[in-house]
Amino acid sequence: MRNTRYRLRTGVSRISFKTCIVADLHDRPYGQILPILKQEKPDLVLIPGDVTETLRAGEETTERNGLRLLTECAAIAPTFYTFGNHEIGGCHGNIRLSKMANEPLTFTLTSAWKGIIESTGVVLLRQSYTVWNGLAIGGLGSGLLNPGWKPELDWLDAYVSAKGYKLLMSHHPEYYDRYLRPYPIDLTVSGHAHGGQWRVLGRGVYAPDQGLFPKYTGGLHENRLVISRGVANTVPCVPRFFNPCEVVTVEVNAE
Ligand SMILES: [Fe+2]
């Protein structure tokens, strides 16, 4: 597990913070993540989705690694969380199957699941934001179950009008090109692409929703998009090559 570090300037006076980004655990073991978080002592932890798997009605449980990790993170620092496509049960395989069966996939977060997530101590942000210590922290969840796979963007106008440094979690990094670039958001953090699974000549080979040789698989882009390659190997039969799992630590300092 690598700790990848980026340093940025805010352009907003008096705002400085350190955050650790933990993306795409997919309920895998998380033991290597905690020492990094404890050593970094971040001001806040950001979890931009796919920490656990489908939050299906009737299957509510606390017995999942992803939920345990949420509790561990919240004990270390204030932790903010938004859903990826896996929490809402959306990936291209089952979307295709549902289309063939003519039964559209939908997702509703039950109050029992909501209670379980809240009991971990994290702040869940779904198409919403909160203002915390001068940071306007937003969560844009996956839109894979929506028509045209489009995320819900209508709340973003209110979000970007909020006072403070705009720090947005967007599970899908490709939303930056498709929707987010025009918005005055200071920093967007994403996951989902798993670094492209294999890395060849410094490029990821494949990412869901971007295809072969995708543009956004990791790293810092345009000084305002940070993408985690993820903290777990989620496809055991297809190992990651030259693509270590990573926690991403971002330090933002006032100019
Ligand atoms: Fe994902």
PDB file of all heavy atoms in Angstrom, residues 27-61:
ATOM      1  N   ASP A  27     -15.093  -3.763   0.269  1.00  0.00           N
ATOM      2  CA  ASP A  27     -15.199  -4.744   1.367  1.00  0.00           C
ATOM      3  C   ASP A  27     -13.991  -5.675   1.494  1.00  0.00           C
ATOM      4  O   ASP A  27     -14.091  -6.730   2.125  1.00  0.00           O
ATOM      5  CB  ASP A  27     -16.483  -5.591   1.241  1.00  0.00           C
ATOM      6  CG  ASP A  27     -17.716  -4.837   1.691  1.00  0.00           C
ATOM      7  OD1 ASP A  27     -17.603  -4.015   2.615  1.00  0.00           O
ATOM      8  OD2 ASP A  27     -18.789  -5.058   1.103  1.00  0.00           O
ATOM      9  N   ARG A  28     -12.886  -5.305   0.918  1.00  0.00           N
ATOM     10  CA  ARG A  28     -11.664  -6.125   1.053  1.00  0.00           C
ATOM     11  C   ARG A  28     -10.986  -5.784   2.394  1.00  0.00           C
ATOM     12  O   ARG A  28     -11.357  -4.822   3.054  1.00  0.00           O
ATOM     13  CB  ARG A  28     -10.708  -5.835  -0.105  1.00  0.00           C
ATOM     14  CG  ARG A  28     -11.332  -6.044  -1.461  1.00  0.00           C
ATOM     15  CD  ARG A  28     -11.257  -7.478  -1.883  1.00  0.00           C
ATOM     16  NE  ARG A  28     -12.201  -7.712  -2.973  1.00  0.00           N
ATOM     17  CZ  ARG A  28     -12.251  -8.825  -3.668  1.00  0.00           C
ATOM     18  NH1 ARG A  28     -11.430  -9.803  -3.395  1.00  0.00           N
ATOM     19  NH2 ARG A  28     -13.128  -8.973  -4.630  1.00  0.00           N
ATOM     20  N   PRO A  29      -9.949  -6.527   2.766  1.00  0.00           N
ATOM     21  CA  PRO A  29      -9.237  -6.206   4.014  1.00  0.00           C
ATOM     22  C   PRO A  29      -8.634  -4.804   3.974  1.00  0.00           C
ATOM     23  O   PRO A  29      -8.222  -4.328   2.919  1.00  0.00           O
ATOM     24  CB  PRO A  29      -8.144  -7.279   4.073  1.00  0.00           C
ATOM     25  CG  PRO A  29      -8.656  -8.405   3.241  1.00  0.00           C
ATOM     26  CD  PRO A  29      -9.447  -7.773   2.141  1.00  0.00           C
ATOM     27  N   TYR A  30      -8.604  -4.159   5.145  1.00  0.00           N
ATOM     28  CA  TYR A  30      -8.165  -2.761   5.173  1.00  0.00           C
ATOM     29  C   TYR A  30      -7.005  -2.513   6.143  1.00  0.00           C
ATOM     30  O   TYR A  30      -6.667  -1.367   6.426  1.00  0.00           O
ATOM     31  CB  TYR A  30      -9.343  -1.853   5.524  1.00  0.00           C
ATOM     32  CG  TYR A  30     -10.030  -2.214   6.828  1.00  0.00           C
ATOM     33  CD1 TYR A  30      -9.510  -1.813   8.054  1.00  0.00           C
ATOM     34  CD2 TYR A  30     -11.197  -2.979   6.821  1.00  0.00           C
ATOM     35  CE1 TYR A  30     -10.134  -2.154   9.231  1.00  0.00           C
ATOM     36  CE2 TYR A  30     -11.821  -3.321   7.998  1.00  0.00           C
ATOM     37  CZ  TYR A  30     -11.288  -2.905   9.198  1.00  0.00           C
ATOM     38  OH  TYR A  30     -11.899  -3.264  10.362  1.00  0.00           O
ATOM     39  N   GLY A  31      -6.406  -3.588   6.638  1.00  0.00           N
ATOM     40  CA  GLY A  31      -5.379  -3.459   7.678  1.00  0.00           C
ATOM     41  C   GLY A  31      -4.205  -2.571   7.300  1.00  0.00           C
ATOM     42  O   GLY A  31      -3.606  -1.926   8.163  1.00  0.00           O
ATOM     43  N   GLN A  32      -3.856  -2.526   6.010  1.00  0.00           N
ATOM     44  CA  GLN A  32      -2.692  -1.714   5.612  1.00  0.00           C
ATOM     45  C   GLN A  32      -3.019  -0.220   5.518  1.00  0.00           C
ATOM     46  O   GLN A  32      -2.122   0.602   5.381  1.00  0.00           O
ATOM     47  CB  GLN A  32      -2.172  -2.190   4.253  1.00  0.00           C
ATOM     48  CG  GLN A  32      -1.588  -3.587   4.293  1.00  0.00           C
ATOM     49  CD  GLN A  32      -1.113  -4.015   2.905  1.00  0.00           C
ATOM     50  OE1 GLN A  32      -0.569  -3.237   2.140  1.00  0.00           O
ATOM     51  NE2 GLN A  32      -1.338  -5.265   2.583  1.00  0.00           N
ATOM     52  N   ILE A  33      -4.300   0.102   5.551  1.00  0.00           N
ATOM     53  CA  ILE A  33      -4.694   1.505   5.394  1.00  0.00           C
ATOM     54  C   ILE A  33      -4.528   2.270   6.703  1.00  0.00           C
ATOM     55  O   ILE A  33      -4.056   3.419   6.721  1.00  0.00           O
ATOM     56  CB  ILE A  33      -6.170   1.584   4.941  1.00  0.00           C
ATOM     57  CG1 ILE A  33      -6.337   0.892   3.590  1.00  0.00           C
ATOM     58  CG2 ILE A  33      -6.662   3.024   4.886  1.00  0.00           C
ATOM     59  CD1 ILE A  33      -7.781   0.653   3.206  1.00  0.00           C
ATOM     60  N   LEU A  34      -4.884   1.620   7.804  1.00  0.00           N
ATOM     61  CA  LEU A  34      -4.960   2.347   9.079  1.00  0.00           C
ATOM     62  C   LEU A  34      -3.630   2.920   9.542  1.00  0.00           C
ATOM     63  O   LEU A  34      -3.583   4.060  10.014  1.00  0.00           O
ATOM     64  CB  LEU A  34      -5.589   1.444  10.149  1.00  0.00           C
ATOM     65  CG  LEU A  34      -7.022   0.996   9.826  1.00  0.00           C
ATOM     66  CD1 LEU A  34      -7.554   0.101  10.935  1.00  0.00           C
ATOM     67  CD2 LEU A  34      -7.944   2.189   9.614  1.00  0.00           C
ATOM     68  N   PRO A  35      -2.504   2.183   9.417  1.00  0.00           N
ATOM     69  CA  PRO A  35      -1.230   2.789   9.856  1.00  0.00           C
ATOM     70  C   PRO A  35      -0.920   4.075   9.102  1.00  0.00           C
ATOM     71  O   PRO A  35      -0.356   5.013   9.684  1.00  0.00           O
ATOM     72  CB  PRO A  35      -0.192   1.700   9.547  1.00  0.00           C
ATOM     73  CG  PRO A  35      -0.967   0.430   9.503  1.00  0.00           C
ATOM     74  CD  PRO A  35      -2.329   0.787   8.999  1.00  0.00           C
ATOM     75  N   ILE A  36      -1.288   4.135   7.835  1.00  0.00           N
ATOM     76  CA  ILE A  36      -1.036   5.364   7.057  1.00  0.00           C
ATOM     77  C   ILE A  36      -1.877   6.510   7.613  1.00  0.00           C
ATOM     78  O   ILE A  36      -1.382   7.621   7.844  1.00  0.00           O
ATOM     79  CB  ILE A  36      -1.339   5.128   5.559  1.00  0.00           C
ATOM     80  CG1 ILE A  36      -0.368   4.105   4.984  1.00  0.00           C
ATOM     81  CG2 ILE A  36      -1.273   6.450   4.779  1.00  0.00           C
ATOM     82  CD1 ILE A  36      -0.671   3.687   3.549  1.00  0.00           C
ATOM     83  N   LEU A  37      -3.131   6.242   7.873  1.00  0.00           N
ATOM     84  CA  LEU A  37      -4.003   7.307   8.394  1.00  0.00           C
ATOM     85  C   LEU A  37      -3.530   7.767   9.771  1.00  0.00           C
ATOM     86  O   LEU A  37      -3.522   8.965  10.062  1.00  0.00           O
ATOM     87  CB  LEU A  37      -5.452   6.819   8.485  1.00  0.00           C
ATOM     88  CG  LEU A  37      -6.133   6.383   7.183  1.00  0.00           C
ATOM     89  CD1 LEU A  37      -7.605   6.066   7.442  1.00  0.00           C
ATOM     90  CD2 LEU A  37      -6.012   7.435   6.110  1.00  0.00           C
ATOM     91  N   LYS A  38      -3.118   6.810  10.598  1.00  0.00           N
ATOM     92  CA  LYS A  38      -2.688   7.172  11.954  1.00  0.00           C
ATOM     93  C   LYS A  38      -1.406   7.982  11.919  1.00  0.00           C
ATOM     94  O   LYS A  38      -1.198   8.882  12.725  1.00  0.00           O
ATOM     95  CB  LYS A  38      -2.528   5.911  12.806  1.00  0.00           C
ATOM     96  CG  LYS A  38      -3.881   5.340  13.205  1.00  0.00           C
ATOM     97  CD  LYS A  38      -3.771   4.019  13.921  1.00  0.00           C
ATOM     98  CE  LYS A  38      -5.177   3.492  14.228  1.00  0.00           C
ATOM     99  NZ  LYS A  38      -5.184   2.081  14.619  1.00  0.00           N
ATOM    100  N   GLN A  39      -0.547   7.656  10.971  1.00  0.00           N
ATOM    101  CA  GLN A  39       0.706   8.406  10.862  1.00  0.00           C
ATOM    102  C   GLN A  39       0.466   9.801  10.282  1.00  0.00           C
ATOM    103  O   GLN A  39       1.049  10.779  10.731  1.00  0.00           O
ATOM    104  CB  GLN A  39       1.677   7.637   9.963  1.00  0.00           C
ATOM    105  CG  GLN A  39       3.077   8.225  10.002  1.00  0.00           C
ATOM    106  CD  GLN A  39       4.003   7.507   9.030  1.00  0.00           C
ATOM    107  OE1 GLN A  39       3.739   6.396   8.583  1.00  0.00           O
ATOM    108  NE2 GLN A  39       5.097   8.157   8.696  1.00  0.00           N
ATOM    109  N   GLU A  40      -0.408   9.902   9.307  1.00  0.00           N
ATOM    110  CA  GLU A  40      -0.647  11.197   8.649  1.00  0.00           C
ATOM    111  C   GLU A  40      -1.425  12.167   9.518  1.00  0.00           C
ATOM    112  O   GLU A  40      -1.300  13.380   9.375  1.00  0.00           O
ATOM    113  CB  GLU A  40      -1.393  11.000   7.320  1.00  0.00           C
ATOM    114  CG  GLU A  40      -0.565  10.390   6.220  1.00  0.00           C
ATOM    115  CD  GLU A  40       0.543  11.312   5.738  1.00  0.00           C
ATOM    116  OE1 GLU A  40       0.514  12.525   6.029  1.00  0.00           O
ATOM    117  OE2 GLU A  40       1.470  10.806   5.091  1.00  0.00           O
ATOM    118  N   LYS A  41      -2.272  11.632  10.390  1.00  0.00           N
ATOM    119  CA  LYS A  41      -3.136  12.481  11.215  1.00  0.00           C
ATOM    120  C   LYS A  41      -3.826  13.562  10.367  1.00  0.00           C
ATOM    121  O   LYS A  41      -3.637  14.770  10.575  1.00  0.00           O
ATOM    122  CB  LYS A  41      -2.342  13.149  12.346  1.00  0.00           C
ATOM    123  CG  LYS A  41      -1.730  12.181  13.329  1.00  0.00           C
ATOM    124  CD  LYS A  41      -1.097  12.932  14.507  1.00  0.00           C
ATOM    125  CE  LYS A  41      -0.540  12.019  15.547  1.00  0.00           C
ATOM    126  NZ  LYS A  41       0.575  11.182  15.111  1.00  0.00           N
ATOM    127  N   PRO A  42      -4.618  13.171   9.390  1.00  0.00           N
ATOM    128  CA  PRO A  42      -5.272  14.166   8.519  1.00  0.00           C
ATOM    129  C   PRO A  42      -6.316  14.958   9.294  1.00  0.00           C
ATOM    130  O   PRO A  42      -6.849  14.504  10.306  1.00  0.00           O
ATOM    131  CB  PRO A  42      -5.940  13.294   7.448  1.00  0.00           C
ATOM    132  CG  PRO A  42      -6.215  11.997   8.140  1.00  0.00           C
ATOM    133  CD  PRO A  42      -5.061  11.788   9.084  1.00  0.00           C
ATOM    134  N   ASP A  43      -6.622  16.156   8.778  1.00  0.00           N
ATOM    135  CA  ASP A  43      -7.721  16.934   9.359  1.00  0.00           C
ATOM    136  C   ASP A  43      -9.059  16.284   9.042  1.00  0.00           C
ATOM    137  O   ASP A  43     -10.009  16.421   9.799  1.00  0.00           O
ATOM    138  CB  ASP A  43      -7.698  18.361   8.802  1.00  0.00           C
ATOM    139  CG  ASP A  43      -6.396  19.062   9.146  1.00  0.00           C
ATOM    140  OD1 ASP A  43      -6.099  19.175  10.351  1.00  0.00           O
ATOM    141  OD2 ASP A  43      -5.664  19.456   8.209  1.00  0.00           O
ATOM    142  N   LEU A  44      -9.122  15.653   7.885  1.00  0.00           N
ATOM    143  CA  LEU A  44     -10.354  14.963   7.499  1.00  0.00           C
ATOM    144  C   LEU A  44     -10.007  13.814   6.543  1.00  0.00           C
ATOM    145  O   LEU A  44      -8.972  13.849   5.875  1.00  0.00           O
ATOM    146  CB  LEU A  44     -11.350  15.908   6.838  1.00  0.00           C
ATOM    147  CG  LEU A  44     -11.037  16.463   5.451  1.00  0.00           C
ATOM    148  CD1 LEU A  44     -12.319  16.933   4.787  1.00  0.00           C
ATOM    149  CD2 LEU A  44     -10.062  17.633   5.532  1.00  0.00           C
ATOM    150  N   VAL A  45     -10.886  12.839   6.520  1.00  0.00           N
ATOM    151  CA  VAL A  45     -10.756  11.710   5.591  1.00  0.00           C
ATOM    152  C   VAL A  45     -11.906  11.812   4.587  1.00  0.00           C
ATOM    153  O   VAL A  45     -13.039  12.122   4.966  1.00  0.00           O
ATOM    154  CB  VAL A  45     -10.820  10.360   6.348  1.00  0.00           C
ATOM    155  CG1 VAL A  45     -10.817   9.193   5.367  1.00  0.00           C
ATOM    156  CG2 VAL A  45      -9.659  10.238   7.331  1.00  0.00           C
ATOM    157  N   LEU A  46     -11.585  11.563   3.324  1.00  0.00           N
ATOM    158  CA  LEU A  46     -12.609  11.566   2.276  1.00  0.00           C
ATOM    159  C   LEU A  46     -12.735  10.163   1.689  1.00  0.00           C
ATOM    160  O   LEU A  46     -11.716   9.546   1.335  1.00  0.00           O
ATOM    161  CB  LEU A  46     -12.232  12.548   1.162  1.00  0.00           C
ATOM    162  CG  LEU A  46     -12.170  14.027   1.580  1.00  0.00           C
ATOM    163  CD1 LEU A  46     -11.621  14.870   0.443  1.00  0.00           C
ATOM    164  CD2 LEU A  46     -13.543  14.542   2.007  1.00  0.00           C
ATOM    165  N   ILE A  47     -13.951   9.690   1.566  1.00  0.00           N
ATOM    166  CA  ILE A  47     -14.200   8.351   1.013  1.00  0.00           C
ATOM    167  C   ILE A  47     -15.160   8.504  -0.168  1.00  0.00           C
ATOM    168  O   ILE A  47     -16.380   8.565  -0.001  1.00  0.00           O
ATOM    169  CB  ILE A  47     -14.758   7.409   2.093  1.00  0.00           C
ATOM    170  CG1 ILE A  47     -13.768   7.358   3.249  1.00  0.00           C
ATOM    171  CG2 ILE A  47     -15.053   6.027   1.512  1.00  0.00           C
ATOM    172  CD1 ILE A  47     -13.997   6.312   4.277  1.00  0.00           C
ATOM    173  N   PRO A  48     -14.591   8.586  -1.396  1.00  0.00           N
ATOM    174  CA  PRO A  48     -15.441   8.869  -2.558  1.00  0.00           C
ATOM    175  C   PRO A  48     -16.043   7.625  -3.204  1.00  0.00           C
ATOM    176  O   PRO A  48     -16.086   7.515  -4.433  1.00  0.00           O
ATOM    177  CB  PRO A  48     -14.489   9.597  -3.512  1.00  0.00           C
ATOM    178  CG  PRO A  48     -13.147   9.010  -3.197  1.00  0.00           C
ATOM    179  CD  PRO A  48     -13.162   8.641  -1.732  1.00  0.00           C
ATOM    180  N   GLY A  49     -16.519   6.689  -2.383  1.00  0.00           N
ATOM    181  CA  GLY A  49     -17.360   5.622  -2.910  1.00  0.00           C
ATOM    182  C   GLY A  49     -16.716   4.268  -3.132  1.00  0.00           C
ATOM    183  O   GLY A  49     -15.499   4.110  -3.109  1.00  0.00           O
ATOM    184  N   ASP A  50     -17.611   3.276  -3.305  1.00  0.00           N
ATOM    185  CA  ASP A  50     -17.239   1.867  -3.478  1.00  0.00           C
ATOM    186  C   ASP A  50     -16.433   1.338  -2.292  1.00  0.00           C
ATOM    187  O   ASP A  50     -15.551   0.494  -2.461  1.00  0.00           O
ATOM    188  CB  ASP A  50     -16.469   1.641  -4.792  1.00  0.00           C
ATOM    189  CG  ASP A  50     -17.376   1.630  -6.023  1.00  0.00           C
ATOM    190  OD1 ASP A  50     -18.581   1.923  -5.885  1.00  0.00           O
ATOM    191  OD2 ASP A  50     -16.872   1.338  -7.121  1.00  0.00           O
ATOM    192  N   VAL A  51     -16.773   1.811  -1.096  1.00  0.00           N
ATOM    193  CA  VAL A  51     -16.115   1.268   0.092  1.00  0.00           C
ATOM    194  C   VAL A  51     -16.712  -0.105   0.416  1.00  0.00           C
ATOM    195  O   VAL A  51     -16.057  -0.978   0.953  1.00  0.00           O
ATOM    196  CB  VAL A  51     -16.223   2.249   1.285  1.00  0.00           C
ATOM    197  CG1 VAL A  51     -17.610   2.248   1.910  1.00  0.00           C
ATOM    198  CG2 VAL A  51     -15.182   1.932   2.338  1.00  0.00           C
ATOM    199  N   THR A  52     -18.000  -0.280   0.051  1.00  0.00           N
ATOM    200  CA  THR A  52     -18.686  -1.543   0.310  1.00  0.00           C
ATOM    201  C   THR A  52     -19.503  -1.906  -0.933  1.00  0.00           C
ATOM    202  O   THR A  52     -19.401  -1.235  -1.961  1.00  0.00           O
ATOM    203  CB  THR A  52     -19.568  -1.423   1.574  1.00  0.00           C
ATOM    204  OG1 THR A  52     -20.137  -2.701   1.884  1.00  0.00           O
ATOM    205  CG2 THR A  52     -20.694  -0.406   1.409  1.00  0.00           C
ATOM    206  N   GLU A  53     -20.246  -2.976  -0.826  1.00  0.00           N
ATOM    207  CA  GLU A  53     -21.021  -3.440  -1.982  1.00  0.00           C
ATOM    208  C   GLU A  53     -22.504  -3.084  -1.809  1.00  0.00           C
ATOM    209  O   GLU A  53     -22.862  -2.384  -0.876  1.00  0.00           O
ATOM    210  CB  GLU A  53     -20.802  -4.945  -2.177  1.00  0.00           C
ATOM    211  CG  GLU A  53     -19.355  -5.292  -2.532  1.00  0.00           C
ATOM    212  CD  GLU A  53     -18.894  -4.672  -3.863  1.00  0.00           C
ATOM    213  OE1 GLU A  53     -19.693  -4.600  -4.802  1.00  0.00           O
ATOM    214  OE2 GLU A  53     -17.734  -4.243  -3.943  1.00  0.00           O
ATOM    215  N   THR A  54     -23.343  -3.615  -2.664  1.00  0.00           N
ATOM    216  CA  THR A  54     -24.733  -3.158  -2.760  1.00  0.00           C
ATOM    217  C   THR A  54     -25.438  -3.100  -1.401  1.00  0.00           C
ATOM    218  O   THR A  54     -25.464  -4.085  -0.659  1.00  0.00           O
ATOM    219  CB  THR A  54     -25.520  -4.106  -3.688  1.00  0.00           C
ATOM    220  OG1 THR A  54     -24.766  -4.289  -4.879  1.00  0.00           O
ATOM    221  CG2 THR A  54     -26.873  -3.510  -4.027  1.00  0.00           C
ATOM    222  N   LEU A  55     -26.033  -1.955  -1.121  1.00  0.00           N
ATOM    223  CA  LEU A  55     -26.771  -1.757   0.127  1.00  0.00           C
ATOM    224  C   LEU A  55     -28.247  -2.117  -0.141  1.00  0.00           C
ATOM    225  O   LEU A  55     -29.119  -1.264  -0.206  1.00  0.00           O
ATOM    226  CB  LEU A  55     -26.614  -0.309   0.596  1.00  0.00           C
ATOM    227  CG  LEU A  55     -25.159   0.134   0.850  1.00  0.00           C
ATOM    228  CD1 LEU A  55     -25.087   1.627   1.079  1.00  0.00           C
ATOM    229  CD2 LEU A  55     -24.561  -0.620   2.029  1.00  0.00           C
ATOM    230  N   ARG A  56     -28.446  -3.417  -0.298  1.00  0.00           N
ATOM    231  CA  ARG A  56     -29.763  -3.913  -0.718  1.00  0.00           C
ATOM    232  C   ARG A  56     -30.748  -3.894   0.450  1.00  0.00           C
ATOM    233  O   ARG A  56     -30.377  -4.245   1.576  1.00  0.00           O
ATOM    234  CB  ARG A  56     -29.587  -5.359  -1.204  1.00  0.00           C
ATOM    235  CG  ARG A  56     -30.363  -5.683  -2.457  1.00  0.00           C
ATOM    236  CD  ARG A  56     -30.025  -7.058  -3.008  1.00  0.00           C
ATOM    237  NE  ARG A  56     -29.159  -6.978  -4.166  1.00  0.00           N
ATOM    238  CZ  ARG A  56     -27.933  -7.487  -4.247  1.00  0.00           C
ATOM    239  NH1 ARG A  56     -27.398  -8.122  -3.225  1.00  0.00           N
ATOM    240  NH2 ARG A  56     -27.221  -7.362  -5.347  1.00  0.00           N
ATOM    241  N   ALA A  57     -31.977  -3.521   0.164  1.00  0.00           N
ATOM    242  CA  ALA A  57     -33.029  -3.562   1.188  1.00  0.00           C
ATOM    243  C   ALA A  57     -33.191  -4.996   1.684  1.00  0.00           C
ATOM    244  O   ALA A  57     -33.157  -5.939   0.900  1.00  0.00           O
ATOM    245  CB  ALA A  57     -34.341  -3.057   0.598  1.00  0.00           C
ATOM    246  N   GLY A  58     -33.329  -5.151   2.981  1.00  0.00           N
ATOM    247  CA  GLY A  58     -33.521  -6.482   3.561  1.00  0.00           C
ATOM    248  C   GLY A  58     -32.228  -7.194   3.889  1.00  0.00           C
ATOM    249  O   GLY A  58     -32.245  -8.268   4.478  1.00  0.00           O
ATOM    250  N   GLU A  59     -31.080  -6.611   3.499  1.00  0.00           N
ATOM    251  CA  GLU A  59     -29.789  -7.257   3.774  1.00  0.00           C
ATOM    252  C   GLU A  59     -28.930  -6.388   4.698  1.00  0.00           C
ATOM    253  O   GLU A  59     -27.705  -6.441   4.656  1.00  0.00           O
ATOM    254  CB  GLU A  59     -29.049  -7.531   2.458  1.00  0.00           C
ATOM    255  CG  GLU A  59     -29.775  -8.537   1.591  1.00  0.00           C
ATOM    256  CD  GLU A  59     -29.035  -8.863   0.298  1.00  0.00           C
ATOM    257  OE1 GLU A  59     -27.866  -8.458   0.148  1.00  0.00           O
ATOM    258  OE2 GLU A  59     -29.664  -9.514  -0.562  1.00  0.00           O
ATOM    259  N   GLU A  60     -29.578  -5.584   5.521  1.00  0.00           N
ATOM    260  CA  GLU A  60     -28.845  -4.664   6.375  1.00  0.00           C
ATOM    261  C   GLU A  60     -28.004  -5.429   7.394  1.00  0.00           C
ATOM    262  O   GLU A  60     -28.492  -6.363   8.037  1.00  0.00           O
ATOM    263  CB  GLU A  60     -29.824  -3.725   7.110  1.00  0.00           C
ATOM    264  CG  GLU A  60     -30.523  -2.744   6.195  1.00  0.00           C
ATOM    265  CD  GLU A  60     -31.781  -3.286   5.521  1.00  0.00           C
ATOM    266  OE1 GLU A  60     -32.062  -4.497   5.678  1.00  0.00           O
ATOM    267  OE2 GLU A  60     -32.479  -2.510   4.849  1.00  0.00           O
ATOM    268  N   THR A  61     -26.759  -5.054   7.508  1.00  0.00           N
ATOM    269  CA  THR A  61     -25.827  -5.699   8.443  1.00  0.00           C
ATOM    270  C   THR A  61     -24.687  -4.743   8.742  1.00  0.00           C
ATOM    271  O   THR A  61     -24.382  -3.867   7.930  1.00  0.00           O
ATOM    272  CB  THR A  61     -25.253  -6.998   7.822  1.00  0.00           C
ATOM    273  OG1 THR A  61     -24.273  -7.531   8.729  1.00  0.00           O
ATOM    274  CG2 THR A  61     -24.569  -6.736   6.476  1.00  0.00           C
TER     275      THR A  61
END
